[in-house]
Structures are given as structure tokens and as C-alpha cells.
Amino acid sequence: MKLNGALAGALLSFLARAEATRVRGGKASAMDISSVGDLLEPMEPRQLQTGDFVPLACNAALADAVCTPLPADFAGVVPCGVCYSMSDFGGARAGETLTMASGLNVIGRLDFPDGSKVTIETPSVFVQGILSMSSTRAVTGEPDISIRMTGDTDIIFTPEGENAGACSGGACNVGPKAFVVAGGQLDINAMPDSCPTWSHILSVGHAAQPVPADFPSPPDPPTSSSGALCSASVVNEDFEGGLNQWYGNLGAYESIQEGSHDGSRYLSITERSFYHPGPLFDIPESVRECTLPDTAYFFNAKIRLSGSTPSLCETAGTDCPILKFGHMDSTNQVRWRELLVLKPGTAVTGGEWFEFKGVFNMHTYQLESSDVWSLLTIAGPEPGVDIAVDDISISLPGAGGYPDPNNICGNLIVNGDGSGSGGFVFPHQSLLPSNALDLKSDGTNDYFHLNTRNKFHDTMKTDLITGCVAAGNTYTFSGKFRVHTTSPVVVKPYIRTLQPAQDKFEFQPITICAPQTSADDFVTCGPVDFTFTDVHTTASSVSLVYIIDDATTDVDMDDLSFVFKSGAPSGYVLDSAVTPSCWGAGAEVVLPSENLHHYDAETTTIASVEAGGQIILTNPIQRTSQDVNPDYTPELALLSRNIVFETGTTNTNGPSLVVLNTKNVVQKIQGVSLVGFGKQGVLGRNPINFKDNGDLTGSSVKKNSITLSNNRCVNVHGTDGLYIGENVAYDTIGHCYALELGTEINNSFDKNIGILTKKATTQATGETDNTPATFLITHPGNSWTGNVAAGSEFFGFWMDLTIDNALATMNAFSDNTVHSTFHMGIKSWPVGWRPSEPQVLVNTKVYRNRVRGLFIQFSSNVTFDGGLVADTRHAVDIRLSDFITFKNFNILGNTDEYMDIVNTRSGQPSHCGVATTGVRPHVNTFTEGSDGTTLENVAFSGYARPECSSTAVAIDMDSHYWKNTFTAPTTFSNVAFDTTDSIDAFSLCNIASKGVKDIAILDVDGSFDPAGGTGPGTIVSDDASMTEGKSCVVMTGSCAQYCQGNSALTAGAVAVSAPAPAPDGTAPAPADPSPTPALTAGPMPVPTPTDTFTVATPTDGICIVNGDFEDSNYTDWSRQVTLATSNITSVPGFNDAGLALKVFDRTHLARGGAIQSFETSCLIENEWYEVRADVLAEYADTTDIFNCNPALYYIEDFDGGSCPAIAIFEPNQNIITQILGYTTSTYNSNGWNQIYGVFKATADIINKGTLDIVVARVPIMADLTIDNVVLSPAPSGAAGKTDCTASNLIFNSDAEIGDARSWFIRGHSPLSKIEMAYPGYTGDFCFKHSGQRNRPFMGMLQHLDTDCFTAGSSYMISAWFYYFVTDGEGNETPAMCQKENVFLSDACPTFEIAGQNGAPSLGRLANTAAAPIVGGWNKYEATFTATSDLIGTGKIWVTVHSVGPGANYFLDDVQIVPV
């Protein structure tokens, strides 16, 4: 196999780092039972297990032995050849607790027959004979047998008989709470084979619609003192019969006049001398006794204002009519209360009748029969304004304002269209008392109206019936809204709650309606489902309100409804094998997350189980089911078991069950609950650990429950042939179901489920539990069938292979599911999987993952046949891989099923509105000449949802580790989309922006043909070099064209050389550039973490001896002692793997490090090489990380100064010949960093004969630890390697390497730094120039060789900037910069092109691109001509210039190309 030469170096780097940090069979595997641990804390003297454990000969007749009841004086040891039975604990002694302070040592046989009920407390369990247990009853949450492990002191195990020599010195230290099988056998069967441990939820039962006993209903009128039934209308006056106790008060004159609004009679009040006089009603006892207290009443009247001049109500909207109530109580106290105020803004025209209406109520104290008098009056207008009134009515609301008593909770919004309450808004009201809700009509339709608003929440409120909103009930909301502004406005319906004894409202969003303007008229929002929770059930009040993101616009509302959809989940239908004989009431169950949050699993208990898999839970938990969509069926798993092994303390030093070096003994662990097992950071201390048992075919770990594990779940170490099936793991730390060494084969992982896999905060040396996978695959030669990874903090399945087994085939991988992981569903990294024969992974389902679904790197010969990836930000990423095929597969962006969950449940995350991708094939293959990616019968959908991101695309191209030409033959056949827009289906824009414009992809059957042809056709880059002479059409928005036939394929089959210069010496004109995204505002990038490396060190270096320092003699590295008077010692290596060299007592900055002489004959003249090393700089005599700045180009000998570097010296000279590599940014202030650089072996270097290579350059106040120093040939495309044929002369132009190699900060300021940030303009990363500087030229700097520049030739330099300012407290704020004048203090970034050391300079090159925006990426573009003076300096300095003090920038996609 010939690797792609451009990429071999990067691959070797990944592989070497993976191997260097791996425990498997390497430096850290000289393990005793301290591989049970480093199961242990360090303990002296260390007592090692050195051999295998075998069955004891004294137990040869044990199978025929008669079991006798456990002796009453049993002290914890079952003698060899003897069988004790716990049968008494099924009768007279049932439920006893036995304390075995010296441990339980089963040398013979101990049997727990079915029905035994006992608890054993012990610090240890040793099984050297047989431990058998059985339970067949239904699991109820009350265990039959409990073994409680106690104590925190180390246990010493002394093997019996012929196994005595298996431990060095006759005894093994097995750590605290040890459960060890050493030569013995476990035969535990606590759950019948026919009983499932988990099931998919096939369907969900729901409670009936609630029927609350307390609900609003039309009030019955009271009975008068005479015994007569009062009328619902307490006042109904049209003045046709005279005044009828209506007067003008306080000197005003009342009269009955003719010519009302309808021609009838009316009451006229004139001669008003101040504000208070107006129509006054002396309320008679007959009205008072017929008025109900604290009950809504409708008031309605016709009013006319007139006078010699227009009233203030007409002209200013003030001094309008007010309905007031006054009374004198029996103590002669007079009180007045405003009942209604004419709403400001009501249209009032002098001399014309208008309606005054509203809803009010009267309190009990206002209706006392002992009152001296009580009055109603209409007052308010200024003196001189006459008030006319007519048709005054006060009445109880009708039935249309109350819920239907036969369907109380059918619709929570009564009178939602405004037609049900006789022209009143009742039962709705304005949320703010300062405003009033109106009912308007357009002649055919009534609707609600709010004007004079001045707050976002100045809207409508509807009180809901609390008895209808029980937790779990789902209602469907819908409504129509109209705004009166030309600016887009968003309406947001909320549920508002107030808890008892609380004074602060809480709000839960129902949905966010689509933006609308006045041009849209009424816009429907919904229908959308909302499910009520306990928050609403316990609230004293629950209301429906609206937040409108324009505080002043008038708003109309209509056709509001909130209709009952389903009651709370009352139960689930599971697999029919779930029966009352298997699962019982009281047992604990867990339901994994069914959203993007890995941690949203929930536990409860079973209330009842019926035949046919029907189960009811104590606390209903909302989940969907298989009958919604079988592809996304949620799970429910049983946690309880009848046999429990548990920790007796609550600390994290949990027990471990280990089957240790016991070959050819069949083990059975079935139906056990292991709670609180394992210890973080200690190798082998796992709940179940099979260590070095060889082939155990026939053994099973089955139907167990593992909860609250501190270190993995089931760990297989050096053991083959196990069946690991139907286990349930919940809330565990580190990898869950794990193969450890990478040598294990023929193990079967079948129908296991892992729920909530969490990262370790402390991990064993060389392990990777801080980035855990629910299923860790370290050797393909095993099988994984029907498993579920449901909620991992990092990965579902991780294929973490070695170079030795990456070519192995897989026994089986089928019907596995991953959902709700945070990082990736299935990951093949860093070595990749390249089986020697084609492999098929069958029916793989990956959905609702936060970042990636499938991540395939450095792999080949793999087909995914059947299955799907859905609701995942990046569904499938394929990097540098060969012969990767997806067939009969579905890839879905935002699905209807998940968006229903998002829209109906509060707090549910989604990828809607986020840039998402379907499949991203790579432009290069792993092996030269191989095929890349094939899509066959693949359907894409959900990438063109109008309510979600317009940047979603079904097929993109992955540009990581790209070689700037297309070399990965890619084929599409029978590919389908749910959109006809090319821009949503396919895009080459991202890869074109990277300079790759020779893509050619075969479309076998015309799936992508814009004209609807049947193929074949070719999708090509939208570049003249790809389309000339061919019949092609533009694929709109995709930076691609579609060409008929397959003649364009040859363009992408081989690398395309750079165009040759024209005969006159000038460069040819470039092709039309590919489209780039428009300027848009967006959030600022954020810093990337600095505590991990993404690029590793090759192991196949040249020239340097013992670069990994594993030979602690260090003869080859002794020159630093004599030349720089430093001292050296051996210390733990990078990531605590192996050894490293520590240099201390340093007396020289440049030579005080690791120094080795080498012969330059190991190099080839004019070839390029790269150097790397891992370095740890600490303040001398401490473990505090030294503060240095890798962006400093010059040597700076002070705290915060230069970082370590690799240089070459002539022997015995103190002058640096050349610095080869620098520490890369961002600097990891928590530990190790990496040095990287490239250099050309010039004739001057070769002619030296002998050179010293030195790792140093950090100030002498620091000690320096060094590991993995490698010098090797530089791969094509390595950052810093000059390549004049490259499409871009800038190195590391887009930050996608993940560090800032080749970039520095110009000047000497230690406070100015380069950090990595994300996201970039087009990719994952960008550069951030942070910190302080006092001169505009102190910007990011890159040095270029002049070899690629021709005097008199012109070049274009371009980049993208995000400009911001930083205040004195470090707060960063996007800001506007000035493009027109590059010398202003707030000038936008420019570039300066200068010679070595800054002279001569072409000056600051003005930006010719578009005007800048605030809070977004801005394009920079300029052209310059290289001069002979510039080229004569030997180096060209490219510097970001013009940015003044206090301002900073993000930088991405820097390019220099010939014009």
C-alpha cells in the first residue's frame, strides 16, 4: 500500500501519538493484581501476581458433594471440597444480615438456592471454588441477596493449595473491597433467559382528558329579599320611561332629550362646573341585593360629549369618561372607586355617539345592606363639556365566556375568536392594568386589539383552569396575529405561573412565531404542542400571555385556541416478553434521553405490570414511541435486580469484581445489580473486569445492571470468547463496555445498553476515559449486535485501534444504535480501520447527537448498508479514507419527529438555525489511486426546512488535511433529496474557498442533473479549467456545474499542476474566483481549549538517536552537561508514558537544554525536513508551568519571554546556525506543549559535516522537560515548506491545523499573543491576536522565502478579519473600524509587505474589498508588485498592520496568489 505522499506525515503523527499514549501491551503493562490495580493505591512492599490460577484439585469431587446448611458459627471460610448451602435463609433465617469482618473466602462451594434472603457485609470476597446463586422471581426492587462491600484498607489475598505460587511471596495485594475470582467459578443466575432487561417503547398510553371539579361557570343570579329570582341584567336603562333614579349631581342639570344614536330618548347632563358632575345612578336596594360580589359584570353605555369647543378627550385623549362607584357605610365613611376608564386612544368625536364598555366587579364590602347610600356615576370630562348617555346596561356574562361544562378542558382558551361574549373580551384581559384590551370588527370578523402599548409584555392575558394543566397533559396552541409596523416583529406565547407563597412569576415558552410585518396581515402561529409539567400543576395561578419584541406596535389577535391533545402518559407498551413474572411493582427503571442532551435520562419506579408488556410507572415520564416512528424508538431499562453487589460506603473508592488469570473455567454472571463499583483513575478497578483469562468461550456476563460506576462497566483485558449481552449500564464514568489491550478477539457484545456515559476527571496512565465511549473497540475481531449507546458525554462507539490490528476484519456489526451523544456517535480515530477484506456494517442508526454522527478517518473497505443518521449537526464526516460506501441509507437534517419534540416541550435543544451538513467526503484518499466515497441509494431530507438555517447543506466536502487538488474519485448513484434547490443539496463553496477547484464527481444516474436527466453526468467545480469544451450548467449557489457524461472525470483523477508562466514571463490570468459568502454579522469566535494536542509525533525519524529518551543512559544527550553546565535527570514522559529528559540548573538560554550531535550526511541536500518535540517548561525547582509566549520571534530572556525551540549550532559555537522549530500557539499553560518546524537542508547545512541539535531557548529561570524529539522528512503541504506550485503561498492560512505554526507577532511585546479560536470564517478554527501592543505594526507576522516571487510580478493578498476592541478590564466588544484611512487609530486591519527585518517596505496596502460591518467577518483584498529590492533581502515579511492599541482581531483564510 502506498500512502498519499502529501498526507503520510500527518498520518504517521497521529498513529505515533496514539501508540505512545496507549497502555496496551506497552510501557505501563507490567501489571500485578495491581492491574486489578493499580486497582490499588501505591503500597509497599508491592506483592505481585505472577502466574495463572487453576481449579483446586481438592475440589475435584465438589460437583457430587452434598451441600449442608451454613454452620451457625460460620466465620467466612468455605473449606476446600465442602459445599455449604444458604437454604436456611429461605426459611427461619430469612432476612438476616451476616457480618464477615475477615472477608468471605469460598475455597469450596457456597450455594444460594432460589428463595434465599440474606445480606452479607464483608470487606472482600474470594472465589477459589464455586459461588452459585439463583433467583427466579419477578424483580420488585427488594433484593433477595445483597453483598455489601465495606472498608477502605487494602486486602491481602493468600491463594490456596497449588495456586500459592501465583502470587509473588505467596500473597497478592488486591486493594480495598476486592471481589476476586482466582481459579474458581461464578455460577450466578438471577434472571431467567426469557425476561428482557430493557425494551423499546412500542406505544404510549395516556390518561383521559381531565375533568376538574372546580372550574369557572356562569354565575346564577341571586334571590331577592322578596324571594324572587333576580335578573342577570341588574341595570338596563334606555330612558324611554324618564330619569328612573338617574340624575346630574353636584349642581349639574339633568334632562331627558330626544334624538339619541337610534332616534330614541337619552339622558343629557349639562351645566357641569368641574370634573366630577355627570350622570349619576342612585342604586336602589333592589339592584344592590341582586348584585353578586366578586363576580364579573359587563358594563355598556352609549355616550356623546359636546360643547362649545372640542373636549380634551377628543383632542388629547385625556379627561375621558370614567365609571365610578361611591358609597357611605354605616359609620358615615365615604369611599369612591374607579370601576372603568375609557381606554386612551379610543376614537372620540365631539357631538357623535361612541361606546363605553368594559368588565368590572364589586366587592362584598361595597354591597352591604347597611350602607347609607351607594351611587354609580360617569365623570371625567373637563367643565363645560356636556355628557349624554343612553342604553346603559350592567349584566352578568353569558355562557359564551365560560368553558363548556361537558368539555371543560377541551379548549383552554374560551372565546378565542372574540365572538362568544356578546361583544366583550371576557374572559381575557390586558396583562398590564394600565392598558385595556379591545374587541374590534372588520364588519365580518371580530378580533382582539391592543394599542397604546409601551412594554414588550403589554399584551393580552388569559387565565387557565389549573385543574386542566396537570403534569404530562399536552395541548395544541394556535393563533393568528397581526402587527402594525413595517419592521419584522416576533410574537412569543408563554405560560406564566405563580407558585404559592411566591411573589415572582415564572415563564415557560410555548413557541416562537414567525417574524411578520404589517404587510403580512394576519399570520397563523402554530399549531404547536405544549406539555405541562409539575411547575404548572403546583402553581396557584397559570396564565397564557404573549411577549412581543416590539414594545409599541399595535397588535391584533384572533382565532386563539389551546386544544387538548393527550393526557399524561399513563403507561407504556413494551416488548411482550415483559410480563408480571419478570418485572414487578417497585422495581426501578430508567428512560434515556431522547433529545440532544446526553444527561436527560430520568428514573422512576414501576407501579404495575400487566401481560403483553403493559407497564405503568409511579411518575409518568414523557417519551415518544415506536408507533410515532420506528427509527427513533426510545428505550426503557430495568435497573433493579434480585441479587445486588454494592458498596457499603458512599465514597468513590468502590469495589471491583475481577475474574483474574483463570483460564478454561466457564463463568456465568447473570442478573446481578452492581452499584457504586470501581475507582476512578485506577487501572482495572472496574465493576466487572475479566483480566488475562485467555479463551473463555461459553462464559457470559448477561442481564446485569451497573449503576453509579466510578470506572467503566464491563472491562475485557486479555480475555477472549465472552458473551456480554443484555446488560444495562446507567450513570457511569469512563468507557463503559470496553476492550482494553487491543488483542482481545471473539467476544460478543449483544443487546447491551449504556445510558449516561460520563467522562473521568482522573484516569489511569495512558487510558482515555476522559473522552469516554459507551462502547470502546480496540480490536475489530469481535462482534457488536443490537447494542444501544444512549447518552454519552463524548462517543457512542469508538474504534481506537492500533497499527497492529487496524487491518483485522470484524466478526459482526449490525443493528447498533447511538443517540444523544455530545461529541460523536461513532468514531474511527486516530489510527483508523482498514480491514484487509471489505466489511459491511448493517443497519446502523445514529441520531440526535450534538456534534457529529459518524467520523471516519484513515479508513478503508467499509460499507454502511442500511440505517440512518439524523438530527446531528454534522451527520457523516469522511477524512482521508478509501472505498467508503453508504448504501440504502438515510441522512436527515432536522426531522419532523424531533422538531415536534422541540416545539412541544420546553428546554429542548435542536440544530435548527445552526449550520448543519449531511455527508462531507474528503478531497483526498488515504492510499494513492484508491476510490474515495460512494453514495448508493441514499436519501437526504431535512436540510431545507424554511424555519431553520439556510446554511444547511446535504453534501459538502471535508477540507481538513487537504492537499490542494482533488484525488479521491467519488461516485453518487440513486441519491434523492426532499428539495429541488441545489444550494440545499450540494455545495463545493467551502472547498473552493480553500483553493481546491478541480473536483469531479461521477453521478451515475443523473440524481443531481438540474435538467432531470438519467445520467451519467459529472459534478465539477465551477471553474473554467473544469468546464471548458464540455456541456455544463450551473448548479445555483453550489459553486459547481453539472456536465453531461463523464468526460470531466479525468480532470479530478490526477493532480493538476500549477499553470506555466506565459511566454512573456507574466503569470496567466486566474480563473474567475468561486463565490464567497456575503458579509453577515454573527457572534465573536471563542478561544479553543489549550490542554490537548491534535497533532502527534512521527516515530520513524532520522538523524537523532534515543529521541524518546527511553534509554535512560543518555550518552547521546550528554553534551548539554559539558557545553551549558546544566544537569539532567530521567522523569516520566509525555502524558506520563515512558521516560523523558529533564534539564535543570540551566545556565544558558540557548544551549541549556537537550543537545545531541549528528552527522549531516543523514540529510539530503535541498530536501525539506520537519522537526517536532514535546516540551514541558516549569519554573525552576517547582511544578508551576513557566509563562512564555510562543508568538515571540526574537529571543526574550524574561518571565513571559521566549518559549522552547529547536535549533542547530556548529559544534562548540554559541551562535545559532538556524532555528528549526518553535513552540506552537495556543500555549498550554497547564502542561505539555509541542515544538514544530520545517527546514530545507541547504548546501550550507550539509557542508557543516557535524551539527548540534539543541532543544532549549527558554529563559534560564525555567527547568525544561523534553520528550519525543523527532527529525523526519517533511510531508507535502507541511506548514512552512516552500512550494511555489501551491495555490496559496501563505502557510497555515486557515488555522485548520489547530495551532498557529508559521505565525508570529512582530516586535518584542510579551503581552501580545496568538490564540486559537472557533469557529472560523469558513472552517472550525481561526487565529485570534489578543493582548496588548503599543504600535500598529505589532501584528501577526509570517516569513516567506523569496523563491516564489518574481520581480515585477503582481500578487493578490486576501484575508478575512473580525475586528473588536478590548477595554481595560479585558472585555471584548465588536467595533467599527475605518477602511478609508490606514493611519487612523481605529483603522481596519491591513497588510504590510516588507523585506527581511522590515525593510524595504511596500507600505500598508489599502483594502479594496467591501465596506466593513460591525460584529462580523470582513473581507480584505489588496494587490502588490514584488520589487527587486524586496526580493533581494531573501525573506518577505507579511505583517498585519494598522490596528491601533486597544483593538484586536480574529484572522482567517489568508492567501497570496499570483495575479
Side-chain angles (χ1 to χ4, degrees), residues 252-553:
Y253 178 74
E254 70 277 355
S255 63
I256 301 297
Q257 301 292 327
E258 299 287 344
S260 182
H261 64 95
D262 57 358
S264 64
R265 305 175 76 187
Y266 66 93
L267 173 64
S268 172
I269 306 297
T270 59
E271 300 181 15
R272 298 175 59 252
S273 58
F274 53 104
Y275 288 90
H276 300 297
L280 180 145
F281 179 51
D282 185 1
I283 302 175
E285 180 61 26
S286 61
V287 170
R288 182 164 51 188
E289 68 180 4
C290 284
T291 303
L292 293 169
D294 302 313
T295 302
Y297 277 88
F298 290 174
F299 172 82
N300 197 1
K302 293 293 193 298
I303 295 182
R304 183 185 67 191
L305 303 181
S306 58
S308 59
T309 60
S311 68
L312 291 174
C313 186
E314 177 182 358
T315 60
T318 63
D319 300 86
C320 290
I322 300 171
L323 178 65
K324 301 176 70 173
F325 171 81
H327 70 124
M328 177 185 285
D329 64 18
S330 59
T331 65
N332 296 328
Q333 292 277 342
V334 176
R335 297 181 179 89
W336 286 93
R337 173 190 169 210
E338 290 185 359
L339 299 181
L340 293 173
V341 177
L342 186 70
K343 180 179 177 180
T346 301
V348 174
T349 302
E352 294 186 7
W353 292 91
F354 61 90
E355 195 169 46
F356 181 22
K357 64 192 302 183
V359 181
F360 70 87
N361 58 38
M362 304 290 286
H363 302 306
T364 301
Y365 72 87
Q366 297 169 328
L367 298 172
E368 297 288 346
S369 60
S370 60
D371 282 355
V372 178
W373 52 261
S374 56
L375 306 170
L376 281 175
T377 184
I378 299 173
E382 71 273 20
V385 176
D386 296 339
I387 303 175
V389 295
D390 196 8
D391 296 338
I392 301 172
S393 68
I394 299 175
S395 60
L396 290 169
Y402 294 92
D404 180 353
N406 298 315
N407 188 20
I408 301 166
C409 298
N411 188 349
L412 297 181
I413 302 178
V414 177
N415 189 27
D417 63 358
S419 64
S421 288
F424 286 84
V425 298
F426 183 82
H428 316 291
Q429 56 190 299
S430 173
L431 178 59
L432 298 185
S434 59
N435 206 344
L437 182 66
D438 286 339
L439 190 68
K440 288 195 171 187
S441 175
D442 61 8
T444 60
N445 179 58
D446 294 332
Y447 57 90
F448 302 101
H449 176 75
L450 267 168
N451 60 358
T452 65
R453 298 176 57 249
N454 59 15
K455 291 183 172 61
F456 296 118
H457 59 286
D458 188 355
T459 58
M460 175 172 159
K461 180 186 79 146
T462 303
D463 292 328
L464 305 183
I465 304 171
T466 55
C468 292
V469 297
N473 283 329
T474 298
Y475 289 80
T476 301
F477 172 83
S478 180
K480 293 179 179 178
F481 301 92
R482 178 170 62 189
V483 298
H484 295 260
T485 177
T486 57
S487 300
V489 174
V490 172
V491 178
K492 303 173 185 177
Y494 280 84
I495 298 296
R496 188 187 73 165
T497 58
L498 182 65
Q499 298 297 328
Q502 299 290 323
D503 58 3
K504 184 177 181 180
F505 290 103
E506 298 176 340
F507 294 83
Q508 299 84 37
I510 295 176
T511 189
I512 299 176
C513 305
Q516 60 186 100
T517 69
S518 55
D520 297 318
D521 200 59
F522 274 107
V523 174
T524 299
C525 180
V528 59
D529 292 345
F530 180 84
T531 300
F532 291 92
T533 67
D534 290 335
V535 170
H536 310 101
T537 303
T538 59
S540 56
S541 74
V542 183
S543 304
L544 171 64
V545 300
Y546 307 87
I547 304 298
I548 301 173
D549 66 0
D550 183 314
T552 60
T553 182

Side-chain angles (χ1 to χ4, degrees), residues 223 379 649 990 1193 1284:
T223 302
T649 55
N990 181 38
Y1193 179 64
C1284 296

